[in-house]
Amino acid sequence: MSNILTVDSIVKQYGDFTAVKSISFKLQQGKSLAILGPNGAGKSTTLKMIYATTTPTSGRVTIQNIDVSANPREAKRHIGVVMQDDLLDTSLNVIENMVAHAILFDMSWKSAQKKAESLLQFVGLSNYKKKEIHELSGGMRRRLVLARALVNDPELIILDEPTTGLDIQSRHVFWNRLETLQKQGVSILITSHYGDEIERLANDVLIIDHGQIIAQGVTSELPSTYGYQDIESAYLGLTGYVEEHDEIEQTVG
Ligand SMILES: Nc1ncnc2c1ncn2[C@@H]1O[C@H](COP(=O)(O)OP(=O)(O)OP(=O)(O)O)[C@@H](O)[C@H]1O
């Protein structure tokens, strides 16, 4: 199976600080990979280098064999992005946000409108298409951003903590849509703080800390490989959270 994404030794330095220290991995066409790591581990910076909003200090990212730094516009045609900051235009209503994004991909107004209608239906927002952005709940906003990320029929969707802050019901709706996309053959790269989300969605998992990969493997196998029961305990144990937590308990006790 061919790789949709190849990340080769990417490094990101901000002055003297190295936020990402030589990360490499591959994502096969149609597969899903989750990146897990504590706050500040370098997850968002890694994703930003992949979707070409930050240039790597060194290393290379290719999407469908297109070098992202050399041809960002061409690479972006193959991806859809759900960032932490949704950047919805609050001066436009729901469907206008969709159409404005579709036009960036050189769609005619008529096909942009048609695409927007069908994607709003896919995420369950057809009845909200004329609503203003401020009238949407947090879960609806997230679903709108997912719909917006799909306007160019991407082969790869990149999501940065898409369900953080959502209630359980909204998280389930969101997962359900991602599962539908997976079944359609779309590849997914996701960061998340939720072990259950990763176990449900991702074929492979990468745990990073302090800008480095500290564990990686098939989601169903990684915990036992490292002597843990599930992804969440593997993550907590491998990133040293448990010890810190114990220290807090000892201090409080
Ligand atoms: N533009 C920037 N300038 C300087 N330092 C930055 C910049 N962006 C990120 N950093 C630093 O790089 C490190 C990694 O940040 P990043 O946002 O990638 O972490 P993260 O794993 O996504 O965390 P979170 O889960 O909180 O989103 C952090 O220490 C952060 O402060």
Side-chain angles (χ1 to χ4, degrees), residues 15 17 22 27-28 32 43 86 93 126 129 148 150 180 225 249:
F17 175 67
S22 197
L27 176 58
Q28 285 185 343
S32 305
K43 303 180 297 295
D86 61 34
N93 70 21
S126 286
K129 63 185 179 189
R148 188 184 59 178
L150 299 173
T180 304
T225 306
E249 279 193 347

Side-chain angles (χ1 to χ4, degrees), residues 16 27 31 33 37 43 97-98 110 140 145 152 158 164 166-168 175 180 183 185-186 197 202 207 227 235 240 242:
D16 291 342
L27 176 58
K31 296 279 185 185
L33 173 77
K43 303 180 297 295
N97 263 277
M98 293 288 295
K110 201 174 167 190
M140 288 173 182
V145 176
N152 53 320
I158 301 173
T164 297
L166 298 190
D167 61 54
I168 292 182
W175 293 346
T180 304
K183 285 184 194 132
V186 175
E197 184 161 271
I207 301 180
Y235 164 63
V242 172

Side-chain angles (χ1 to χ4, degrees), residues 48-113:
K48 283 177 188 164
M49 289 190 273
I50 295 169
Y51 61 69
T53 55
T54 297
T55 313
T57 308
S58 61
R60 189 166 180 254
V61 176
T62 55
I63 292 172
Q64 294 291 44
N65 294 322
I66 301 160
D67 186 316
V68 167
S69 295
N71 295 301
R73 202 173 151 80
E74 205 191 328
K76 281 179 185 180
R77 291 193 173 276
H78 297 270
I79 61 174
V81 181
V82 176
M83 302 176 223
Q84 279 190 34
D85 183 355
D86 61 34
L87 302 177
L88 289 165
D89 189 335
T90 51
S91 68
L92 302 177
N93 70 21
V94 166
I95 195 156
E96 287 166 349
N97 263 277
M98 293 288 295
V99 171
H101 192 71
I103 284 169
L104 292 178
F105 288 97
D106 305 327
M107 272 186 209
S108 68
W109 187 87
K110 201 174 167 190
S111 25
Q113 190 77 19

Side-chain angles (χ1 to χ4, degrees), residues 123-153:
V123 299
L125 289 178
S126 286
N127 292 336
Y128 295 85
K129 63 185 179 189
K130 294 280 165 57
K131 294 277 183 200
E132 299 300 319
I133 298 303
H134 68 82
E135 294 179 89
L136 302 181
S137 68
M140 288 173 182
R141 275 180 88 115
R142 291 271 97 186
R143 281 187 274 147
L144 174 56
V145 176
L146 177 62
R148 188 184 59 178
L150 299 173
V151 291
N152 53 320
D153 293 322

Side-chain angles (χ1 to χ4, degrees), residues 14 17 19 38-45 84 161 193:
Y14 294 111
F17 175 67
N39 290 335
K43 303 180 297 295
S44 299
T45 307
Q84 279 190 34
E161 294 179 25
H193 287 295

Side-chain angles (χ1 to χ4, degrees), residues 223-242:
S224 58
T225 306
Y226 290 88
Y228 294 94
Q229 280 207 321
D230 54 27
I231 287 291
E232 197 151 308
S233 45
Y235 164 63
L236 292 171
L238 290 165
T239 55
Y241 173 82
V242 172

